[in-house]
């Protein structure tokens, strides 16, 4: 969905033509796979981070156009809401000091963006959901002024045919309705890309699905929405409900949501693209002039634009991506699990944990997905979103033992998964000092049972105990979070509370 989309209304013939083009794209993808036309492995990874804009009072600032004009860099783009930005880091080869390089590039980029935002009385806040967001902030008038967002909103609203209902029961319960998809803008995430060969794709995707729960457990950072304390990572239920094209009757029939975990382990990338075409009607039936099969017949490589566009409107937590670079096709796994923040160091630690763990599990002689039911992996994900650092995870028993056991996520990470992640980073050729530093941050979070979500909740409750009302406590928490985020020390070292209060 990062491409510019400009179109008017759609009629039946548009949808029928688009459906035919999608089938042609699928056939083209199948031929490319069969002919082994894909790029050789280059150990390439990529990183995108969605950001919030907030004023000095901690309240959301609807000024992304003004900020982007001042930044004037193609590394920064709009996101759905006027209080959102996205920063993209160019692909890097995994190895050596890549994580320190990424950290330095991010600090430089975010520092520059924050200085530019301050010219319009705003600042960058890297957090899963801004605690001070109110329902009045998430209205269609606050969608970014970009054609594709309004078009996507119109199509999802038309497909649903009624208001969207948010109903999230956590520590507290939130129920409300919206007439647009704008609540989706509350969710700001980190996307981790990994280029893989077709033969390795399924193993990497399955491994990424299996570890999504532990990613959330150690990295949760979204405990508040509209003044309510909900799940420790409230983005997944919010995102699913805010993009749900199904009225209750279709949900009752078992129609799949456009934001979903999936329903099975896979054997190829093709299966995921084919599922996306088979299960989900087109939201943006915009046809390209390219004939993908003719391009292949003539020895070229098709862009498969319809398939790429459609794939971008199905919100899997681990998404398959088809792309072209210098005329050569490649496949990527896009990991969309993690919330943004809290600090650059925390983001890079989360990335190191993910890339190391996925490498080790994808190459394991006894794959975890052969020993863990897919339904259990999904239940783990749900439990981690609800409970964060305190979640319990069902995982295969270590060694040659059969069966699974329920264990605290922090124990599973420390005793079993961190050593695997270290081995995976060694396989990537990461410098040992960098490996130990970034994985050590994950270990310390587990030892102290502190992540972004737990720090936010603790600070918020201390503010309430100090006598602040709910809204003031959330604002104070946000301001303190922003201060510590820019200071840059990892979240497990942050003091609870806020200056000047007990």
């Amino acid at each position: 969905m990062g491409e510019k989309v400009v179109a008017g209304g759609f009629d039946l013939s548009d949808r029928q033509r688009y459906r035919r083009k999608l089938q042609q794209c699928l056939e083209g993808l199948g031929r490319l796979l069969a002919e082994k036309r894909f790029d050789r492995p280059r150990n390439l990874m990529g990183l995108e981070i969605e950001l919030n804009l907030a004023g000095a009072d901690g309240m959301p600032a609807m000024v992304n156009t003004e900020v982007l004009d001042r930044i004037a860099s193609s590394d920064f783009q709009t996101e759905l809401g006027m209080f959102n930005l996205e920063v993209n880091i160019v692909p890097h080869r995994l190895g050596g000091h890549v994580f320190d390089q990424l950290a330095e590039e991010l600090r430089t980029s975010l520092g520059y963006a924050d200085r530019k935002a301050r010219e319009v009385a705003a600042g960058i806040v890297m957090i899963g959901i801004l605690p001070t967001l109110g329902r009045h902030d998430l209205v269609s008038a606050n969608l970014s002024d970009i054609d594709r967002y309004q078009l996507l909103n119109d199509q999802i609203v038309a497909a649903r045919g009624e208001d969207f209902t948010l109903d999230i029961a956590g520590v507290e319960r939130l129920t409300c309705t919206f007439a647009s998809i704008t609540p989706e803008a509350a969710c700001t995430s980190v996307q981790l890309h990994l280029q893989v060969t077709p033969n390795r794709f399924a193993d990497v995707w399955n491994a990424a699905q299996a570890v999504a729960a532990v990613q959330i457990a150690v990295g949760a950072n979204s405990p508040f929405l509209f003044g309510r304390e909900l799940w420790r990572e409230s983005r997944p239920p919010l995102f699913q409900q805010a993009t749900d094209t199904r009225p209750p009757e279709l949900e009752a029939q078992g129609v799949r949501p456009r934001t979903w975990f999936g329903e099975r382990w896979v054997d190829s990338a093709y299966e995921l693209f084919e599922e996306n075409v088979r299960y989900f009607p087109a939201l943006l039936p915009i046809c390209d002039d390219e004939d993908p099969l003719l391009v292949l017949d003539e020895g070229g490589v098709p862009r498969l634009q319809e398939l790429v566009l459609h794939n971008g409107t199905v919100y899997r937590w681990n998404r398959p991506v088809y792309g072209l670079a210098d005329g050569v096709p490649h496949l990527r796994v896009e990991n969309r699990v993690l919330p943004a923040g809290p600090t650059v160091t925390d983001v890079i630690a989360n990335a190191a944990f993910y890339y190391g763990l996925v490498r080790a599990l994808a190459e394991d002689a006894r794959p975890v997905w052969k020993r863990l039911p897919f339904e259990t992996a999904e239940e783990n994900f749900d439990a981690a979103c609800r409970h964060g650092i305190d979640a319990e995870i069902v995982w295969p028993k270590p060694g040659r033992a059969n069966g699974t056991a329920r264990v605290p996520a922090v124990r599973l990470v420390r005793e079993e998964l961190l050593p695997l992640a270290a081995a995976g980073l060694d396989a990537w050729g990461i410098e040992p000092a960098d490996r130990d530093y970034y994985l050590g941050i994950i270990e310390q979070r587990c030892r102290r049972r502190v992540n972004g979500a737990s720090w936010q909740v603790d600070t918020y409750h201390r503010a309430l105990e100090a006598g602040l009302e709910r809204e003031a406590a959330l604002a104070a928490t946000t301001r303190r979070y922003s201060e510590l985020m820019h200071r840059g020390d990892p979240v497990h070292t942050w003091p609870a509370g806020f200056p000047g209060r007990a």
Side-chain angles (χ1 to χ4, degrees), residues 431-493:
E431 286 291 333
D434 292 0
R435 173 202 66 200
D436 294 344
Y437 175 70
Y438 289 108
L439 294 186
I441 289 169
I442 303 297
E443 181 183 21
Q444 286 301 312
R445 283 192 219 152
C446 293
R447 283 186 181 277
R448 303 185 188 194
R449 289 181 173 265
V450 172
N451 59 15
S454 69
W455 183 90
Q456 288 186 58
V457 168
D458 185 23
T459 301
Y460 165 72
H461 282 284
R462 288 173 182 250
L464 292 179
E465 292 165 3
L468 272 64
E469 297 295 328
R470 180 186 293 259
E471 289 187 4
L474 289 167
T477 299
T478 304
R479 291 193 300 270
R480 180 61 167 156
Y481 177 102
S482 180
E483 175 190 346
L484 294 171
M485 181 207 82
H486 286 288
R487 190 177 297 173
D489 297 325
V491 71
H492 70 267
T493 68

Side-chain angles (χ1 to χ4, degrees), residues 263-337:
E263 59 190 18
R264 63 189 177 93
W265 308 116
V266 301
D267 294 316
S268 72
Y270 183 89
E271 295 174 27
L272 296 173
F273 287 102
E274 191 276 334
E275 277 186 354
N276 286 355
V277 172
R278 176 157 44 101
Y279 292 149
F280 301 102
L283 290 177
L284 301 171
I286 302 167
C287 287
D288 189 74
D289 292 334
E290 176 186 76
D291 181 334
L293 302 182
L294 180 60
V295 171
L296 280 167
D297 289 341
E298 294 176 345
V301 178
R303 297 186 302 273
L304 306 182
Q305 285 292 85
E306 290 83 7
L307 186 63
V308 170
L309 179 60
H310 181 67
N311 191 59
T313 65
V314 180
Y315 305 102
R316 295 178 183 269
W317 295 111
N318 284 291
R319 176 188 277 166
V321 178
Y322 170 89
L324 288 179
D326 299 323
V328 180
H330 65 264
L331 293 173
R332 304 194 303 273
V333 174
E334 180 189 14
N335 179 261
R336 303 161 48 82
V337 168

